[in-house]
Amino acid sequence: MCLTIPAQVFEKHKNFVLVKTDSEIRKINTGFLTDLKKGDWILHTVGTAVRIIDSEEAKEIIELLGKTKYIPQKLSTQFKEILKKIQLGGDLTKEEITYLLRVKGDEKKTLFSEANIVRQANLHDFFCIHGIIEFSNYCKNDCSYCGLRAENRNLTRYRMSVSEIVQTAVDAVKKKGYKLLVLQSGEDYFYTDEMLVEIIKKIKEKCRVFIFMSVGERGYPAYKKIKKAGASGVLFRFETSNQKLFKRLHSKGKNFKNRLEHLKFFRELGYFIATGSLIGLPGQTIDDLAEDILLTKKWANMVSTGPFLSTVDTSLADVIDNEKTKKWKIEMNLKMIAILRLMVETTRIPVVTALETLAGVNIRKKALQSGANSLMFNLTPAKYRPHYKIYGHKFYQKENIWEKYGLFKDKESYQMLEERMAKELNV
Ligand code: 5AD
């Protein structure tokens, strides 16, 4: 489902109204809302009014999404040159990205506000809310940062049945208006390819929804079948572009080459790819993050980048964040969002749960104002949620307020997503 920033009508004409936003006056077609009058608050998108809301509701949404405008003061020549290069459509070098990752003060504020302007210019004030269903926490891998790792004997394991998964997905679509769902699990071969196919087919038979799978390195034949069954995308992070670090973190099973192979054939198969990296891994440098940005740009139709959070019962359990490291990770995550928004204007960038867990609910607004344009809400049934401990103390809050204002809960939303995805995939 989708959400836009409200605007107030200040002039009514025959087929359109004029609304005032912070920075401009916009002409909005009245669409079906023929009895709009001066003073009404409306939600609008792509130039057409969609819904009248009362002023209290408008205030609440503005509060959620917010708006800021920042007038830069002191900018270095190098910073200005980088911005100019972006505006002219040039590709940033690793050095330029590293410069942006290090900016402070005025330049930092400018980076965020520029990214916000690019988001607004390209995607309007239009945010999508996607859902994630974590259907099994069994995993054959032993990634040293992840609480689901096979060696962790202290985790209560669960698996949702095929019918439970289908029902949860169908409820999310029919009752709440979700149009894009991620089905995620550890790498769990209890679910055969055929079972995954069955799950996708059953969901698609019952409702119109885009399904993204996040089920690990299952290889080409599996992903071919899954695509054929109706999955549209994959959520599959490369985790880090630093191969030495990758090796250190993944002692058995996973290797970087296989990760990239997967990304390659995902593209070949026509998947919409959500990928990215972890931020703040032990031993990771700013240079690594710059490489992560370049690799994300290369592969992602949707960005999925979030902070590493230390987790009990993993080999990185001792890497505890203090206020300073926490702040650093939050800032780096926002900067990576902003830089990616500047580099790939129309890409989908969700605010990930790990960032919300680290920074609290207010980060949503901040991240959206730094170039992010979507949110990912957890739809895992309550009884299982506490056990999906990729990391601890996962954040869930206020989803209902956002869901309440979700716009286009019906087929328009699906069509709009379809158009946007097709544009992104050039089909
Ligand atoms: N902190 C943050 N993210 C994590 N993931 C796994 N463990 C952690 C952690 N401790 C992320 C990985 C994986 C995704 C499903 O969850 O990036 O790709």
Side-chain angles (χ1 to χ4, degrees):
M1 78 189 100
C2 312
L3 192 63
T4 72
I5 290 188
Q8 194 171 25
V9 176
F10 82 95
E11 225 177 87
K12 161 109 172 96
H13 294 260
K14 190 157 179 263
N15 297 318
F16 67 93
V17 290
L18 295 180
V19 297
K20 249 185 205 160
T21 65
D22 277 2
S23 49
E24 55 180 0
I25 290 172
R26 275 207 226 166
K27 186 176 154 185
I28 303 287
N29 296 323
T30 35
F32 294 117
L33 305 179
T34 44
D35 52 352
L36 280 181
K37 48 188 187 314
K38 190 176 170 185
D40 278 348
W41 280 93
I42 55 166
L43 294 175
H44 60 97
T45 185
V46 232
T48 305
V50 191
R51 196 163 112 193
I52 304 181
I53 52 172
D54 70 35
S55 59
E56 281 307 303
E57 281 188 314
K59 251 172 55 195
E60 205 173 355
I61 302 179
I62 289 171
E63 185 60 25
L64 284 174
L65 299 172
K67 272 201 160 188
T68 52
K69 202 160 169 240
Y70 181 73
I71 312 290
Q73 312 278 327
K74 285 178 251 141
L75 304 177
S76 69
T77 316
Q78 193 174 357
F79 186 81
K80 284 192 229 160
E81 271 168 15
I82 296 176
L83 282 192
K84 205 158 131 201
K85 189 170 178 190
I86 293 169
Q87 278 155 11
L88 294 173
D91 284 334
L92 295 189
T93 62
K94 184 172 161 192
E95 289 62 40
E96 288 163 336
I97 295 172
T98 310
Y99 181 93
L100 292 179
L101 284 170
R102 290 186 198 277
V103 289
K104 295 196 184 101
D106 259 8
E107 293 190 350
K108 184 169 84 180
K109 286 187 192 157
T110 309
L111 170 66
F112 294 152
S113 80
E114 283 293 315
N116 194 31
I117 291 166
V118 168
R119 176 190 56 71
Q120 277 180 330
N122 290 281
L123 302 158
H124 310 282
D125 282 327
F126 197 82
F127 302 93
C128 290
I129 304 176
H130 308 316
I132 181 161
I133 300 169
E134 299 149 337
F135 64 90
S136 157
N137 67 352
Y138 281 83
C139 190
K140 76 159 190 45
N141 294 324
D142 266 310
C143 309
S144 39
Y145 44 82
C146 183
L148 305 192
R149 63 201 309 244
E151 273 175 19
N152 182 4
R153 309 265 172 255
N154 294 329
L155 185 70
T156 309
R157 304 276 172 174
Y158 72 88
R159 286 187 175 114
M160 287 170 66
S161 68
V162 169
S163 60
E164 232 178 340
I165 300 169
V166 173
Q167 196 56 48
T168 309
V170 173
D171 283 351
V173 177
K174 293 201 171 161
K175 295 189 181 155
K176 295 184 164 178
Y178 282 87
K179 285 287 170 290
L180 193 160
L181 296 175
V182 178
L183 303 186
Q184 189 176 78
S185 68
E187 206 167 314
D188 183 5
Y189 291 91
F190 165 85
Y191 300 89
T192 59
D193 297 349
E194 287 62 40
M195 280 165 85
L196 296 183
V197 163
E198 184 189 347
I199 292 166
I200 296 164
K201 281 192 171 161
K202 283 196 165 146
I203 297 172
K204 302 274 292 188
E205 268 163 27
K206 292 189 168 87
C207 53
R208 271 187 105 183
V209 63
F210 291 102
I211 299 176
F212 278 42
M213 298 304 281
S214 182
V215 290
E217 296 174 23
R218 295 179 74 106
Y220 181 85
Y223 278 102
K224 196 169 174 194
K225 286 184 225 165
I226 290 171
K227 183 81 181 42
K228 199 163 161 238
S232 303
V234 280
L235 173 54
F236 185 94
R237 288 180 173 172
F238 56 83
E239 314 292 6
T240 171
S241 57
N242 178 330
Q243 296 193 39
K244 277 195 192 143
L245 181 59
F246 189 99
K247 200 162 175 196
R248 235 184 299 144
L249 297 169
H250 305 102
S251 50
K252 315 183 225 166
K254 279 196 317 209
N255 68 68
F256 189 75
K257 200 166 150 254
N258 198 29
R259 236 42 221 154
L260 280 195
E261 281 303 314
H262 273 70
L263 288 171
K264 275 186 206 149
F265 70 64
F266 289 151
R267 184 165 281 170
E268 216 178 287
L269 288 167
Y271 276 109
F272 197 92
I273 301 174
T275 192
S277 58
L278 284 161
I279 302 167
L281 291 162
Q284 195 179 36
T285 63
I286 292 206
D287 254 31
D288 292 335
L289 296 181
E291 281 291 352
D292 288 353
I293 288 179
L294 287 167
L295 199 58
T296 305
K297 178 174 183 259
K298 179 164 180 196
W299 291 106
N301 304 108
M302 184 196 287
V303 173
S304 176
T305 286
F308 153 67
L309 304 175
S310 170
T311 309
V312 286
D313 301 316
T314 64
S315 38
L316 299 181
D318 296 341
V319 190
I320 309 278
D321 277 320
N322 55 37
E323 280 313 306
K324 201 169 152 206
T325 58
K326 239 188 194 179
K327 232 177 117 190
W328 186 88
K329 285 182 189 177
I330 296 167
E331 182 169 320
M332 279 303 150
N333 204 155
L334 292 176
K335 283 178 174 169
M336 286 178 81
I337 290 174
I339 296 167
L340 278 157
R341 168 61 63 226
L342 293 174
M343 291 170 76
V344 215
E345 293 170 345
T346 54
T347 199
R348 202 165 279 264
I349 310 184
V351 186
V352 299
T353 316
L355 178 61
E356 293 172 343
T357 304
L358 192 65
V361 70
N362 292 332
I363 200 69
R364 271 184 197 158
K365 189 153 118 185
K366 238 176 158 167
L368 295 172
Q369 288 175 352
S370 307
N373 72 321
S374 62
L375 296 159
M376 187 73 83
F377 286 171
N378 196 306
L379 302 172
T380 309
K383 64 177 168 181
Y384 300 123
R385 280 189 194 188
H387 307 304
Y388 201 78
K389 277 193 194 147
I390 289 182
Y391 46 83
H393 311 293
K394 238 193 205 170
F395 182 86
Y396 318 100
Q397 215 188 323
K398 287 206 175 167
E399 273 73 2
N400 50 351
I401 304 187
W402 293 81
E403 283 173 349
K404 175 173 144 199
Y405 293 123
L407 258 185
F408 298 127
K409 298 200 176 189
D410 302 313
K411 61 176 190 300
E412 299 96 318
S413 159
Y414 187 90
Q415 269 162 7
M416 226 146 43
L417 260 178
E418 199 166 44
E419 278 163 25
R420 285 191 176 193
M421 295 222 287
K423 209 165 144 194
E424 175 73 34
L425 293 173
N426 294 320
V427 290

